[in-house]
Amino acid sequence: MRRRKFLALMGVAGAGLALGKTPAQAAGNVHFEGYPDAKAVLFDATRCIGCRKCEAACNKVNKLPAPAKPFDDLKVLDGERRTTAKAYTVVNRYQPAGAAAPVFRKLQCNHCQEPACASACFVRAFKKNPDGSVTYDASVCVGCRYCMMACPFNVPAYEYDEPLTPRVMKCTMCHPQIESGELTMPGCVGACPKEALVYGKRKDILKIAHARIEAFPGRYVDHVYGESEMGGTNWLYLSGVPFKEIGMREDLGVTSAPELTSGALAVVPMVAAVWPALLGGIWAISKRNGKVADEERKEAVKTAVAANQADNDAKLAKAKEQAEKDKKDSIEREVKKALEEAASAAKEEEGA
């Protein structure tokens, strides 16, 4: 069964259940303040020089394929880029109106306090961890890509070039490497030569961000992006120009994704609960359709063989009839010829 057909059946099942009387527990509408010891990263756009060393470090730490152009090739900054399945973070260059020099911004997963990708995923392939990171479990993903549509920052990327086991790829805030002890901070943070990235507990990072704004009010916009956007994120930003001028959305508000979608997500736990039964039903339907198709094929072959046999029998009977007629005509010709030859010989004898 094709994935598109499978998802269509899932949608029908979900809608049917929503209209029925099966009880379901709706998504909560209480704002989540975040885990108390969650970590965060602060990106300071006034310090970033666009060197792409963070990109190189991310590529190395996550063992991603080498890019088409080397990381020291800064010509890639001429065009705006987004994250991909093979690049968890990218740096873009912007030229704000009236600015004397370009401004750079690093893009990656913002690791929302209440991630939209997780709230949209009905198989719970995405998880918010106590350390602040948002990670993905490919083993339960069905490839619906609702997470990609839900993300307000357009971050998750799909492995379209992987035909057998495609995954949704994004920054993990180096959660696996930090948890295993391989790293003490995200790879990009440790690679930044200008300290444009700072890592620590979110509550401490916010204090650092506000302290910078207070100390240098003429350098920064008086706002820490991510402190409250979409309920808050674990990747925070400072900028010396309006955030919209460096490609960042300013229309998100402060309400988290689960709060916005609590009504629509009421059927999600219900659909997940009937997952085994739904899969079994789809399998049974597919098996029955296959059995019917097989029986129809056998019947068609049987009918074709019978028709072919009847046609062959008719042709054989006609051939036999024609052979008998030809044999009879041949005998008659031979007898007639013999009689004519005998009569001719008798006349010759009489004349002699």
Side-chain angles (χ1 to χ4, degrees):
M1 180 176 290
R2 293 183 180 276
R3 177 175 285 178
R4 182 174 296 178
K5 184 176 180 180
F6 169 77
L7 292 173
L9 289 172
M10 282 294 297
V12 171
L17 288 169
L19 293 173
K21 296 182 179 180
T22 305
Q25 183 177 1
N29 57 4
V30 178
H31 177 61
F32 175 59
E33 295 294 339
Y35 292 103
D37 294 323
K39 302 295 178 55
V41 176
L42 173 66
F43 170 76
D44 191 334
T46 69
R47 298 189 179 194
C48 181
I49 60 174
C51 65
R52 301 184 65 202
K53 292 189 184 299
C54 56
E55 293 186 35
C58 177
N59 179 276
K60 181 179 179 180
V61 167
N62 292 288
K63 298 178 175 59
L64 300 173
K69 295 182 179 180
F71 290 108
D72 58 1
D73 184 353
L74 301 185
K75 291 181 180 179
V76 299
L77 299 176
D78 292 340
E80 188 169 0
R81 299 176 295 156
R82 60 150 292 179
T83 56
T84 70
K86 297 178 176 60
Y88 295 171
T89 186
V90 296
V91 175
N92 281 334
R93 181 176 61 205
Y94 302 87
Q95 185 62 56
V103 180
F104 302 92
R105 177 171 72 96
K106 180 181 180 297
L107 291 78
Q108 72 296 301
C109 174
N110 285 327
H111 300 276
C112 302
Q113 296 272 63
E114 296 182 90
C117 56
S119 67
C121 182
F122 58 87
V123 295
R124 298 183 180 179
F126 286 89
K127 181 176 71 171
K128 180 69 175 179
N129 301 301
D131 67 356
S133 63
V134 177
T135 52
Y136 162 77
D137 184 356
S139 67
V140 298
C141 178
V142 298
C144 67
R145 286 162 279 177
Y146 291 159
C147 55
M148 296 173 64
M149 292 183 282
C151 178
F153 303 107
N154 194 31
V155 169
Y158 195 66
E159 289 184 313
Y160 289 103
D161 58 347
E162 179 56 59
L164 299 179
T165 56
R167 298 167 294 172
V168 176
M169 309 295 281
K170 73 171 194 68
C171 160
T172 64
M173 214 158 105
C174 288
H175 171 81
Q177 293 85 353
I178 294 174
E179 189 174 49
S180 67
E182 178 184 346
L183 296 175
T184 58
M185 64 180 70
C188 58
V189 177
C192 182
K194 294 296 183 179
E195 297 184 353
L197 297 167
V198 182
Y199 176 72
K201 289 187 177 180
R202 188 175 188 270
K203 58 185 178 182
D204 295 334
I205 293 297
L206 282 170
K207 291 178 182 178
I208 292 172
H210 284 291
R212 288 186 185 180
I213 294 173
E214 185 176 355
F216 304 99
R219 180 188 298 176
Y220 295 103
V221 173
D222 189 12
H223 179 63
V224 181
Y225 192 100
E227 182 173 12
S228 56
E229 276 77 8
M230 290 296 294
T233 65
N234 286 76
W235 210 283
L236 306 167
Y237 298 82
L238 288 177
S239 174
V241 299
F243 291 100
K244 65 180 179 180
E245 294 191 21
I246 54 174
M248 302 180 72
R249 294 183 61 178
E250 294 185 335
D251 61 339
L252 296 176
V254 299
T255 306
S256 67
E259 290 181 74
L260 291 171
T261 58
S262 60
L265 291 174
V267 299
V268 171
M270 175 173 50
V271 173
V274 300
W275 182 263
L278 183 60
L279 286 178
I282 293 173
W283 175 81
I285 292 171
S286 299
K287 185 176 180 182
R288 180 183 179 280
N289 289 342
K291 183 178 180 181
V292 170
D294 188 53
E295 290 176 353
E296 289 177 349
R297 282 194 296 270
K298 289 180 179 179
E299 186 63 30
V301 170
K302 183 178 179 181
T303 301
V305 169
N308 188 55
Q309 186 64 46
D311 185 53
N312 288 340
D313 290 344
K315 289 181 179 179
L316 182 59
K318 186 175 181 180
K320 287 181 177 180
E321 182 181 351
Q322 185 64 41
E324 290 294 332
K325 184 176 181 301
D326 292 343
K327 182 178 179 181
K328 182 179 179 181
D329 291 344
S330 178
I331 293 173
E332 289 179 352
R333 284 195 301 272
E334 292 299 325
V335 169
K336 183 178 179 181
K337 181 179 179 182
L339 290 174
E340 289 176 349
E341 290 177 349
S344 178
K347 286 183 179 180
E348 289 179 357
E349 291 178 357
E350 290 177 357

